[in-house]
Coordinates of all heavy atoms in Angstrom, one line a residue:
E23 N 37.5 105.9 40.5 CA 37.6 107.1 41.4 C 37.2 108.3 40.6 O 36.5 109.2 41.2 CB 39.0 107.2 42.0 CG 39.4 106.0 42.8 CD 38.6 105.8 44.1 OE1 38.0 106.8 44.6 OE2 38.6 104.7 44.7
S26 N 33.6 108.4 40.4 CA 33.0 108.8 41.6 C 33.0 110.4 41.7 O 32.0 111.0 42.2 CB 33.8 108.3 42.8 OG 33.8 106.9 42.8
Y30 N 29.7 112.7 42.0 CA 29.4 113.6 43.1 C 29.3 115.0 42.6 O 28.7 115.9 43.2 CB 30.5 113.5 44.2 CG 30.4 112.1 44.9 CD1 31.5 111.4 45.3 CD2 29.1 111.6 45.1 CE1 31.4 110.2 46.0 CE2 29.0 110.3 45.8 CZ 30.1 109.7 46.2 OH 30.0 108.5 46.9
Q52 N 33.5 116.5 48.2 CA 33.7 115.0 48.0 C 34.2 114.6 46.7 O 35.1 113.7 46.5 CB 32.3 114.3 48.2 CG 32.4 112.8 48.4 CD 33.2 112.4 49.5 OE1 33.3 113.0 50.6 NE2 33.9 111.3 49.4
E55 N 37.9 115.0 46.7 CA 38.5 113.9 47.4 C 38.7 112.7 46.5 O 39.7 112.0 46.5 CB 37.8 113.5 48.7 CG 37.9 114.5 49.8 CD 37.6 113.9 51.2 OE1 37.2 112.7 51.2 OE2 37.8 114.6 52.2
E56 N 37.6 112.5 45.7 CA 37.6 111.3 44.8 C 38.7 111.5 43.7 O 39.4 110.5 43.4 CB 36.3 111.1 44.2 CG 35.1 110.8 45.1 CD 35.4 109.6 46.0 OE1 36.3 108.8 45.7 OE2 34.6 109.4 46.9
H59 N 41.9 110.5 45.2 CA 42.1 109.1 45.3 C 42.6 108.6 43.9 O 43.6 107.7 43.9 CB 40.8 108.4 45.6 CG 40.2 108.7 46.9 ND1 38.9 108.4 47.3 CD2 40.7 109.4 48.0 CE1 38.7 108.9 48.5 NE2 39.8 109.5 49.0
E100 N 29.3 104.2 47.7 CA 30.4 104.0 48.5 C 30.6 102.5 48.9 O 31.7 102.0 49.0 CB 30.4 104.9 49.8 CG 30.7 106.3 49.5 CD 32.0 106.5 48.8 OE1 33.0 105.8 49.1 OE2 32.0 107.5 48.0
V103 N 32.2 100.9 46.0 CA 33.7 101.3 45.9 C 34.4 100.5 46.9 O 35.5 100.0 46.7 CB 33.9 102.8 46.1 CG1 35.4 103.1 46.2 CG2 33.3 103.6 44.9
F129 N 43.2 103.2 52.0 CA 41.9 103.2 51.3 C 40.8 102.4 52.0 O 39.6 102.8 52.0 CB 42.0 102.7 49.8 CG 42.7 103.7 49.0 CD1 44.1 103.7 48.9 CD2 42.0 104.7 48.3 CE1 44.8 104.7 48.1 CE2 42.7 105.6 47.5 CZ 44.0 105.6 47.4
Q133 N 37.4 104.1 53.2 CA 36.1 103.6 52.8 C 35.2 103.5 54.0 O 34.0 103.8 53.9 CB 36.2 102.3 52.0 CG 36.6 102.5 50.6 CD 35.8 103.6 49.8 OE1 36.3 104.5 49.3 NE2 34.5 103.4 49.8
E136 N 34.0 106.9 54.7 CA 33.1 107.4 53.7 C 31.7 106.8 53.9 O 30.7 107.4 53.7 CB 33.7 107.3 52.3 CG 34.9 108.1 52.2 CD 35.2 108.5 50.8 OE1 34.8 107.8 49.8 OE2 36.0 109.5 50.6
Ligands
FEO320 FE1 37.3 107.1 46.6 FE2 34.5 107.5 47.9 O1 35.9 106.4 47.4

Side-chain angles (χ1 to χ4, degrees):
E23 299 293 339
S26 300
Y30 292 143
Q52 192 57 35
E55 286 202 358
E56 299 301 349
H59 297 168
E100 284 307 322
V103 174
F129 286 89
Q133 281 311 120
E136 295 204 340

